[in-house]
C-alpha cells in the first residue's frame, strides 16, 4: 500500500503514514522502504502531533464579525448568558450554524488543531443540528466529538427531551469514522431534575458519557442547593447522571472531594482559561486533584497555542503552577485516545518503542517559522503549504460574514431579560 511520507524535518526525522497510522517516525537514514503516494516537505519545520481542543462551542465562530453589544452591560455571569449567549443561540438556524461550523473547523485545522470537542445549543434548530456540525468536520477532515447541550430554559421539559433525543439519534445513526457523539446538558440551573435524570438514563443505555458544564458560576451552586442538593456535582450523581467517560467542563466551584470522587468514576475535566477570565468566574483550583484534565477554549478560537499562552500567564497570576496548563493541553491527546480507542498524540523516536508507534494515529501538524505548514488527520493531508486542502478559507470567511449579518438581525429581536421554563 502506498504511503504518505513527511520530512525529513529540521531534526532529521521522517514520518511515514499508512492506513491512517504512523508506521514509522524516526531518523530519515533508518526509514524503511515504502511505496510513496505523496511527500510533504518538512524542511526547516518540525513534525509534531496535532493539537486537541477539548471543549468549545462552534456556534460562536461568527462573533468576530461585529456581534452587537447588549443594550445593558452585564453585571455578572448569569447576565452575560441572558444578554448575550442565550440571545445568540436562539437566533441560530441551519444556514447560520453551517457557516459558523465550517469557519471554526477550517480555522482550527489551519492552526494545527486536529481534534475538536464541541458542545452545541440552538433551541430553535435542534433536530438535525448535530449532522450540520458533523458535515463540517467531514468536509474538511477534522476529528471530533459532538453533543447537544439540552436545556429546559426556553420551552420547558419538552425542549430538554428534544435536545437529549437529538444526541441519542446522532449517536445511533452516525457512521462517520472521525466523529463521535455524546449526550449533553447545558448548565444545570437551566435543567429540571427530570431532564438530568433522562440524560443519565440515555447515556448509560448508549454506553457514552455526558458532556456538561458543571459549577461554572455561583448560580449553578445556588440553584442546586435551592433544590435540596449539596452542590451541582451532588445533583448530577443523585439523579443518576454521573456516568463514566463523561466530560465535566469548568468546575470552578467544585470541591476537592467532589473532584476526586468524579475522577474515580472515570470523568474527564476540562479547563478553559480565556473564557473563565472573560466571564470573571474564577480559577478551577480543584482540578489539581484530578489526573484526567484537558484544555478547552469554550467558544474562543481553536488555536491552542493562544489558549496555552494565556492559560500559563493566568495561572501565574492566580497563584497556580503554569505547568499544570501545559500538562492539560497535552492531556487532550489522552482524552481523544480514550474516546477513539486508539493511540493519539506524542510521536516517539526511541527505536525500541516502534511497536507502540505503529498504532499511533496520524494526526499531525508540521510547524515552521510562519506557523502551521501542513496538517494531517487520520493520515490525510487537510492543510498543505499553509492552505486548506478541501476549501477556500477566503470564501468560507465571506459566507460566515454574510450569515453573521443575518444572525445579528435575528439576535436583537430577543429581549435581554429572561423568563425560565425549566419547571414547566
Amino acid at each position: 500500500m502506498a504511503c504518505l511520507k513527511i520530512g525529513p524535518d529540521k531534526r532529521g526525522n521522517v514520518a511515514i503514514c499508512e492506513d491512517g497510522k504512523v508506521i514509522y517516525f524516526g531518523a530519515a537514514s533508518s526509514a524503511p522502504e515504502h511505496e510513496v503516494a505523496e511527500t510533504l516537505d518538512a524542511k526547516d519545520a518540525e513534525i509534531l502531533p496535532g493539537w486537541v481542543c477539548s471543549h468549545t462551542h462552534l456556534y460562536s465562530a461568527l462573533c468576530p464579525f461585529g456581534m452587537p453589544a447588549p443594550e445593558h452591560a452585564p453585571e455578572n455571569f448569569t447576565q452575560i448568558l441572558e444578554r448575550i449567549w442565550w440571545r445568540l443561540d436562539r437566533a441560530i438556524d441551519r444556514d447560520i450554524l453551517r457557516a459558523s461550523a465550517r469557519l471554526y473547523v477550517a480555522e482550527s485545522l489551519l492552526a494545527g488543531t486536529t481534534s475538536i470537542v464541541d458542545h452545541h445549543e440552538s433551541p430553535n434548530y435542534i433536530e438535525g443540528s448535530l449532522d450540520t456540525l458533523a458535515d463540517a468536520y467531514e468536509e474538511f477532515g477534522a476529528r471530533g466529538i459532538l453533543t447537544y447541550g439540552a436545556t429546559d430554559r426556553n420551552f420547558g421539559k419538552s425542549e430538554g427531551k428534544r435536545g437529549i433525543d437529538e444526541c441519542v439519534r446522532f449517536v445511533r445513526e452516525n457512521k462517520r469514522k472521525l466523529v463521535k457523539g455524546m449526550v449533553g446538558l447545558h448548565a444545570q440551573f437551566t435543567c429540571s431534575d427530570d431532564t438530568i435524570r433522562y440524560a443519565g438514563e440515555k447515556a448509560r443505555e448508549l454506553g457514552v458519557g455526558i458532556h456538561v458544564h458543571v459549577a461554572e458560576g455561583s448560580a449553578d451552586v445556588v440553584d442546586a442547593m435551592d433544590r435540596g442538593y449539596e452542590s451541582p456535582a451532588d445533583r448530577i450523581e443523585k439523579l443518576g447522571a454521573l456516568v463514566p467517560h463523561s466530560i465535566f467542563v469548568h468546575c470552578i466551584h467544585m470541591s476537592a472531594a467532589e473532584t476526586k470522587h468524579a475522577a474515580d468514576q472515570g470523568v474527564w475535566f476540562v479547563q478553559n482559561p480565556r473564557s473563565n477570565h472573560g466571564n470573571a468566574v474564577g480559577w478551577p483550583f480543584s482540578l489539581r486533584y484530578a489526573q484526567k484534565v484537558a484544555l478547552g477554549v469554550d467558544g474562543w478560537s481553536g488555536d491552542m497555542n493562544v489558549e496555552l499562552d494565556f492559560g500559563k500567564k493566568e495561572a501565574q497570576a492566580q497563584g497556580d503552577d503554569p505547568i499544570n496548563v501545559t500538562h492539560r493541553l497535552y492531556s487532550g491527546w489522552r482524552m481523544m485516545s480514550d474516546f477513539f480507542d486508539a493511540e493519539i498524540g506524542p510521536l516517539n523516536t526511541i527505536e525500541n518503542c516502534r511497536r507502540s508507534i505503529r498504532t499511533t494515529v496520524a494526526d499531525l501538524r508540521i510547524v515552521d517559522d510562519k506557523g502551521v505548514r501542513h496538517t494531517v488527520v487520520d493520515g490525510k493531508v487537510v492543510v498543505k503549504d499553509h492552505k486548506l486542502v478541501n476549501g477556500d478559507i477566503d470564501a468560507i470567511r465571506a459566507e460566515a460574514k454574510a450569515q453573521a449579518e443575518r444572525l445579528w438581525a435575528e439576535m436583537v429581536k430577543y429581549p435581554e431579560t429572561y423568563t425560565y421554563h425549566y419547571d414547566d
Side-chain angles (χ1 to χ4, degrees):
M1 181 181 293
C3 68
L4 169 67
K5 178 182 176 182
I6 308 171
D9 67 6
K10 64 183 180 182
R11 298 177 300 176
N13 290 321
V14 167
I16 297 177
C17 308
E18 188 176 86
D19 194 28
K21 305 289 178 63
V22 177
I23 59 173
Y24 174 81
F25 180 68
S29 59
S30 301
E33 291 294 329
H34 278 269
E35 180 184 352
V36 177
E38 182 178 5
T39 300
L40 285 182
D41 173 40
K43 183 180 179 182
D44 299 323
E46 190 170 5
I47 304 168
L48 298 165
W51 287 132
V52 175
C53 175
S54 297
H55 170 81
T56 193
H57 303 286
L58 266 63
Y59 66 73
S60 68
L62 304 187
C63 295
F65 297 104
M67 183 172 72
E71 184 178 351
H72 302 93
E75 298 177 3
N76 54 52
F77 176 56
T78 301
Q79 288 183 0
I80 290 174
L81 294 176
E82 293 174 343
R83 299 178 185 181
I84 301 174
W85 299 113
W86 291 352
R87 296 170 70 215
L88 183 148
D89 68 20
R90 281 181 285 176
I92 293 172
D93 61 18
R94 181 187 178 280
D95 289 343
I96 289 170
L97 181 58
R98 179 178 180 272
S100 188
R102 293 179 78 242
L103 178 64
Y104 199 107
V105 171
E107 290 189 333
S108 296
L109 291 173
L110 287 166
T113 299
T114 52
S115 294
I116 309 165
V117 182
D118 187 57
H119 187 272
H120 177 61
E121 293 97 31
S122 53
N124 289 309
Y125 174 50
I126 297 176
E127 288 78 12
S129 60
L130 294 182
D131 281 322
T132 298
L133 294 168
D135 286 347
Y137 282 70
E138 190 170 46
E139 179 182 2
F140 300 121
R143 183 185 302 278
I145 303 170
L146 301 177
T147 195
Y148 187 93
T151 180
D152 304 340
R153 72 177 183 269
N154 301 286
F155 311 116
K157 293 178 183 178
S158 63
E159 177 189 3
K161 184 177 185 301
R162 288 172 59 207
I164 295 167
D165 287 346
E166 169 64 4
C167 298
V168 172
R169 180 202 64 78
F170 183 77
V171 170
R172 287 178 174 164
E173 296 179 2
N174 174 54
K175 304 300 182 184
R176 301 170 182 85
K177 179 184 178 183
L178 298 183
V179 181
K180 292 184 178 293
M182 297 180 70
V183 172
L185 290 169
H186 191 56
Q188 288 176 75
F189 72 95
T190 73
C191 297
S192 64
D193 282 2
D194 287 345
T195 294
I196 296 174
R197 188 180 294 110
Y198 185 58
E201 291 172 357
K202 289 301 177 182
R204 293 180 191 278
E205 179 182 311
L206 294 166
V208 300
I210 294 176
H211 188 170
V212 54
H213 286 213
V214 179
E216 180 178 5
S218 58
D220 211 13
V221 178
V222 171
D223 179 78
M225 296 177 69
D226 286 347
R227 294 172 185 268
Y229 300 98
E230 294 179 8
S231 66
D234 179 57
R235 187 181 182 208
I236 287 176
E237 180 164 28
K238 287 180 176 172
L239 293 173
L242 182 54
V243 181
H245 309 296
S246 290
I247 299 174
F248 282 13
V249 186
H250 300 298
C251 308
I252 305 295
H253 300 284
M254 277 184 70
S255 70
E258 289 175 331
T259 303
K260 291 177 182 177
H261 179 65
D264 289 342
Q265 309 308 306
V267 169
W268 271 95
F269 303 87
V270 180
Q271 180 185 10
N272 304 270
R274 279 184 289 177
S275 172
N276 293 162
H277 176 85
N279 291 329
V281 293
W283 184 261
F285 287 101
S286 67
L287 295 186
R288 67 180 67 177
Y289 300 103
Q291 296 297 316
K292 295 168 67 172
V293 186
L295 195 70
V297 300
D298 198 37
W300 290 66
S301 77
D303 188 333
M304 299 310 295
N305 287 315
V306 175
E307 192 72 32
L308 175 63
D309 290 344
F310 183 91
K312 289 193 294 186
K313 293 176 183 177
E314 184 71 0
Q316 191 164 18
Q318 295 287 340
D320 200 357
D321 190 341
I323 196 65
N324 289 334
V325 181
T326 302
H327 287 162
R328 288 163 189 171
L329 177 57
Y330 295 168
S331 286
W333 296 321
R334 188 155 54 99
M335 172 190 272
M336 298 310 289
S337 298
D338 284 355
F339 283 104
F340 281 85
D341 191 25
E343 186 176 339
I344 298 175
L347 299 166
N348 196 330
T349 60
I350 301 174
E351 296 296 319
N352 62 9
C353 290
R354 287 186 184 177
R355 181 176 300 175
S356 65
I357 291 169
R358 290 195 179 98
T359 63
T360 301
V361 173
D363 289 3
L364 308 169
R365 60 196 161 98
I366 294 81
V367 181
D368 60 25
D369 58 3
K370 296 180 181 178
V372 177
R373 184 186 297 178
H374 315 301
T375 304
V376 176
V377 183
D378 198 49
K380 296 180 177 60
V381 183
V382 296
V383 171
K384 185 174 183 179
D385 295 325
H386 303 279
K387 295 181 180 180
L388 202 64
V389 170
N390 299 318
D392 180 342
I393 191 61
D394 291 331
I396 293 166
R397 287 171 177 155
E399 175 62 18
K401 184 177 181 181
Q403 291 298 329
E405 293 175 0
R406 290 188 57 238
L407 177 58
W408 311 145
E410 289 298 314
M411 177 180 171
V412 297
K413 295 178 182 179
Y414 292 98
E416 293 185 1
T417 55
Y418 214 90
T419 301
Y420 296 93
H421 297 283
Y422 51 69
D423 284 326
D424 289 357

